[in-house]
Amino acid sequence: MKELTMESKEFKRVLHNLHLENMTLHTALQKRVLELINSGVPITSAMIQEALDCEKI
């Protein structure tokens, strides 16, 4: 899979879909998501929860 960036069509589609569900990701969380996706590590629900918990601080 190609590396995603903030300007990637695929990533913008994800953000758009979140917007349709009245959800947004702050820029810092968007960058963290991209890092995880591009690292090739399988993303688990625990990783998602950790990222969301760090964002609340």
Side-chain angles (χ1 to χ4, degrees):
M1 183 159 110
K2 73 177 187 174
E3 187 169 304
L4 297 180
T5 66
M6 298 284 276
E7 301 304 317
S8 298
K9 177 179 70 173
E10 297 85 356
F11 190 66
K12 286 184 176 186
R13 185 178 308 131
V14 169
L15 294 178
H16 176 72
N17 289 342
L18 287 172
H19 178 73
L20 291 174
E21 297 292 332
N22 295 321
M23 299 174 69
T24 59
L25 299 178
H26 295 286
T27 304
L29 188 53
Q30 290 178 23
K31 290 178 182 177
R32 179 70 180 131
V33 167
L34 286 171
E35 288 173 10
L36 289 171
I37 292 169
N38 291 328
S39 71
V41 175
I43 298 173
T44 64
S45 59
M47 292 173 78
I48 294 168
Q49 187 62 49
E50 180 184 336
L52 292 172
D53 289 342
C54 289
E55 184 67 19
K56 292 177 186 174
I57 297 174

